[in-house]
Amino acid sequence: MRHLIATFLVALLALTAAPAIAQSVNYDTWNQVAERAESLTANPQATNEELARTRARIVDWRDRLQEGQNANGDRIATLRNQIEALGPAPAEGATEDEEVANRRTELNQQLSTAQAPRIAATEATSRANSIIGQIDEIVRQRQALELAKQTPSPVLPASWAAAATDGLALLEGVGGEVSGQDATPEIWADLRPRLPYVAGYLIAALLILTYGRAWIVALPTRLSSRASEYSKAVLAFVVSLGQIAVPMAGVYLGISAIQATGLPGPWTTPFLNALPVAAVILFGGIWMARALFPRTAIAYTSLQMTEEARVSAGRMVQTLALLMAIHHILSRAMLPLSGLYEQGEAQVGRVPVQFGEASAGVWHLVLIVLAALAMFRLGNILRRLTRDAVTQDLSYRHWIAAWAGRLTRIIAPIAVLLTAAGFVNLGNLLVWPWLFSLALVGLLILLQDFTADLFNMMQRGAEGAREGLAPLLTGFGLVLASIPIFLIIWGSSGAELAEYWVRFRQGISLGGVNLSPGAILTFLIIFAIGYALTRGVQGMLRTSILPKTRLDAGGQNAVVSGLGYVGIFLAALLAITSAGIDMSSFAIVAGALSVGIGFGLQNIVSNFVSGIILLIERPVSVGDWISAGGQQGIVKKISVRATLVETFDKTEVIVPNSDLISQPVTNWTRHNKVGRIIIPVGVAYGSDTKKVENVLREIVEDHPLVSIDPAPAILFRGLGADALNFEIRAILADVGTGLGVTSDLLHSIVQRFGKEGIEIPFAQRDIWLRNPEALPGQSHGPAARNAQPGALTAPTTVSPELTRDDADEAPGLPDDGDSR
C-alpha cells in the first residue's frame, strides 16, 4: 500500500512540476541547435547519418518544447475569468470607469506575461516541426534518386561475365570455410570436445525438420476430427501455427550446431545471420498457402474457388515464399541494388567480395523473372475469383483478391522490363514489397476468419455468431492496425512512423476547431457516460416513480421522452466542452449551413418541432384511439420524427408528426371513452309506429352496456320509399365497445320483431314492358300485348354507424374490424 501511495505522489508531483520544467527550457541553446540543423539541411554534402543524428536531436527538443505549450494553464484560466468578470471592453470611442479600466489593463498585462512561455514554446515547436519536415524531405528525395538509378543492363554479355566472376569468387570463399580449409589448428582443437553437442544439435534439427514437421502438418486434421462443430476451426488455426514454430526450432538448432563448430567466418556468417528471417518467410508462406488454399478444408475455405484453382494457387504461393526467402538471404548477405533492402544498415555484415552493379543486376534479374512467372500465374487465378464464382453473393475479400490479381499480372511484366533496362532497384521495389503486401492481405483474411470463429465458439455455434457486429468491428480494427505494417513494407522507417503518430495525435484543424484522437476519445467517453446516465434515469422514472403518480400513460411517456431529449442534449454539450472544442468556432459554419438546412431538412425539422409540441401539449398520447391521414388505430409510440399507430388489422403505420399538428385528427379516447352509437332501423308501412318505438326502447334499455343517464333515444326519422325509418341513439361508457353493442342490439331487434309481428321490409321493383312485341322471338298476338310485367325483388342491407355525441348528424366511425 505504501508503494502505491508513493507511486501516486510521484506521478502527481511530475504532473504539477511539468509547467515548471517546461519554463526552464533554455531558448538560447535551442536557437543555436536549430540554426545548426538548418545549416545542415542547406548543405547538399551532408550525409544521411548526419541528418539522422540531427533529426533525433530535434525530435528530443520538440518533445520538451511541447510540454511548454501547457505552461501556466491554471493561471491563464484564472486571469481570463477575472477579465470576463469586468464585463465587455468599451467600444471604440467609448469610455469606462477609470478604476475598471486600470484593473483591465493590469490583468491584460499579467495575462500577456503568463502566456509568454506558451507563445515561445509554440513558436519553437513550429520551428522544430519545420526542420524535421525538411530533413525528411531531403532523405526521401535521396531515396527516390537511389531507387531510380540506372545501372548497366543485366541482359548484356558483359554483365553476365561480371556475374560469373563474382559468383566464382563467392563459391571459392564459401567453399573454403565450409570444407574447413581455412580453419586453423586451434579451431579444430576446440571443435573436438564439442563434436557430441554439435552432432546432437544437428540430429535434433534433422528430426524436427523431417518427422516433426510432418507430424505438425497432420495434427490439425487429427485434432479437428475430434472437436465439436463450432470449435474445430479455432482449434485447427491455433494448432496450425505450429507449422511455423516447429520448423523454426529446427532451423535455430541447425544454426546453433553450425556456429558451435567455430568454422563460420566472414563468408558464411552473413548467410547464417539472414537465415532465421528467411526461414520465417519460407515456413510462413507455406503455412499461408495451406490455410488460404487448402487441398482439403477442415471447416470451410476462406476464398470460394474451384479445387484445381485452389491447388494451383497454393503451389504458386509456396514457390513465391521460397523465392522471397532466397532473395532475403542474397540481399542481406551479398547483393546490392536490392530496392528497399538497401535502407538502414543492410550493407553491414556482407560477404568480403564486393558485387558490382552489373553483376548484382544479373542475379536480381534471375530472381525477378522467376518470381514474375509465379506472380503472373497467381494473378490469373485470383482475378477469376469473381468471374468464375459459383454464387453471386461474394464477400468484399473476393473483390479485393480479384483486383490484387489483376494488379499482380500488371506488376510482374513491368518489373521484369525495368530490371532488364537497368532499373534494378525499381524492379525490386515493385516485386518484393508487393508480394509482402499480398501476404499481409492474406493474413488479414485468415485473422478475420479466426476472429469470427472465436466468437462462434464462445456463443457455442449460435446462428449468426460469425456474421455479428463484434467480429465485423474486430476485423475492421485489424485492418486499421495493419496500416503501419503496410507502411513499413513500402519503406517507411521507425522515425517516419513516429512522426506520423505525432501528427495523428496533434489532429487536424477544421474551421478553427482542432480534432485530435484524444479530443475525439474524450468526447465519446463523456457522451457515452451521459447517455447511459440518461437512459438509467429514464428507466427509473418509467418503472419506479411515475407509476406512483397520477399521470396517465401518455403523460408518463411525455415526461420520459422529454427527459431523454434534455439528457442527450446536455451529454453532447458536456462532451463537446470536455473535449476542448470551442462552440463559437461553429458559429460561421452553422450560419452558412442554416439556409441549406432550412430548405433541405425542412420536413425533418418540422416533424421534430411537431414531436416536441405533441409531447408538451399532448393532444395525442400513447394508448389513444385516433383517426389521422386516412388511418385509424391505437397510438403505440411518439418519437422525434413520427408517431407509430397500430391499426386494428395489427399493422403498424408511421404517421409524420407534422400531419398530427397541421391536419385534422379525430381522437376518440383522449379525455374520456364515452361515445354514442346510431343504429338505423326500418319497418314496413302499416306497422304501429308507437309499438315499434316501445319495442326498440325496451331492447336498447335492456342492454347492460348502454348508459341510462342520459337515456337512449328512439327517433322516428322519416318516411322512406320502402320503409318507415327509425333510429336508435344510445350513449356508451366505452365507445370502443360500439361495434359489439350494435351487433347485440341488431340480433335482439330481429328476434323481437319476429315475435311481435313487425315486418322488416325489403325493396321491391316492378318492371313494365311497353312494347313486348318488339322483343326477338316473342309472340305479337293480343296475349303477348296483354302480358303482365314480372316483378324483380332484391333485399337491401343497412349498415349501422358509430358517431361521437357532438352533433345531430355526426360522422360515422369506420368499421375497424376490432372486437370493440
Side-chain angles (χ1 to χ4, degrees), residues 124-401:
T125 302
S126 177
R127 187 178 183 184
N129 286 329
S130 177
I131 295 173
I132 292 173
Q134 291 176 7
I135 294 176
D136 290 342
E137 182 64 25
I138 293 173
V139 173
R140 281 193 293 267
Q141 290 178 358
R142 292 182 178 182
Q143 291 175 354
L145 291 175
E146 182 66 24
L147 290 174
K149 180 178 67 174
Q150 187 176 15
T151 58
S153 174
V155 297
L156 297 175
S159 300
W160 285 87
T165 302
D166 293 340
L168 290 175
L170 176 67
L171 290 177
E172 183 179 354
V174 173
E177 285 189 356
V178 171
S179 63
Q181 295 177 1
D182 300 336
T184 61
E186 291 79 8
I187 294 178
W188 289 111
D190 294 338
L191 176 61
R192 290 188 183 92
R194 289 180 295 182
L195 281 178
Y197 300 101
V198 172
Y201 282 146
L202 287 177
I203 293 173
L206 291 176
L207 290 176
I208 290 175
L209 290 175
T210 53
Y211 295 103
R213 185 163 170 263
W215 174 80
I216 196 64
V217 167
L219 184 60
T221 304
R222 293 199 303 268
L223 291 180
S224 61
S225 62
R226 303 175 185 176
S228 60
E229 195 66 29
Y230 52 82
S231 62
K232 64 166 54 177
V234 175
L235 180 63
F237 181 86
V238 174
V239 174
S240 68
L241 295 177
Q243 299 175 12
I244 303 175
V246 172
M248 283 303 302
V251 171
Y252 274 108
L253 287 175
I255 294 174
S256 300
I258 295 174
Q259 291 177 343
T261 61
L263 295 176
W267 291 95
T268 54
T269 299
F271 292 97
L272 292 177
N273 293 336
L275 189 57
V277 176
V280 172
I281 295 174
L282 175 61
F283 296 122
I286 295 174
W287 168 81
M288 184 171 296
R290 290 172 176 161
L292 272 179
F293 311 106
R295 293 177 180 268
T296 302
I298 294 177
Y300 56 85
T301 56
S302 299
L303 297 175
Q304 297 181 11
M305 55 199 320
T306 62
E307 182 179 357
E308 180 182 359
R310 191 163 55 248
V311 172
S312 180
R315 190 181 301 115
M316 291 302 103
V317 170
Q318 293 181 4
T319 302
L320 288 172
L322 176 61
L323 292 174
M324 292 167 69
I326 295 174
H327 176 263
H328 177 83
I329 293 175
L330 297 182
S331 298
R332 292 298 185 189
M334 65 181 200
L335 292 181
L337 301 178
S338 301
L340 296 177
Y341 279 98
E342 292 298 307
Q343 297 184 16
E345 299 181 357
Q347 300 180 15
V348 178
R350 284 179 174 171
V351 294
V353 62
Q354 184 68 34
F355 278 75
E357 293 181 346
S359 173
V362 174
W363 290 82
H364 284 301
L365 178 63
V366 173
L367 288 175
I368 289 176
V369 168
L370 295 176
L373 293 175
M375 289 172 61
F376 197 84
R377 175 60 179 163
L378 180 62
N380 276 332
I381 298 172
L382 294 179
R383 73 184 181 91
R384 290 197 295 265
L385 280 176
T386 54
R387 189 185 66 182
D388 300 340
V390 179
T391 175
Q392 296 298 323
D393 187 17
L394 296 175
S395 59
Y396 70 95
R397 64 178 58 175
H398 292 83
W399 299 99
I400 293 177

Side-chain angles (χ1 to χ4, degrees), residues 640-703:
V640 177
R641 190 192 67 83
T643 297
L644 178 64
V645 177
E646 183 181 73
T647 67
F648 298 107
D649 296 329
K650 298 303 179 182
T651 58
E652 294 183 347
V653 179
I654 307 298
V655 180
N657 288 334
S658 58
D659 292 348
L660 300 179
I661 297 297
S662 61
Q663 297 181 7
V665 178
T666 302
N667 195 330
W668 302 96
T669 59
R670 179 67 187 99
H671 297 291
N672 59 74
K673 296 184 178 181
V674 177
R676 184 179 69 176
I677 59 173
I678 299 176
I679 304 175
V681 179
V683 298
Y685 275 92
S687 300
D688 186 350
T689 57
K690 290 297 182 180
K691 180 180 179 180
V692 172
E693 180 180 354
N694 293 332
V695 170
L696 291 178
R697 191 180 307 278
E698 292 175 3
I699 293 173
V700 70
E701 288 180 351
D702 287 343
H703 199 284

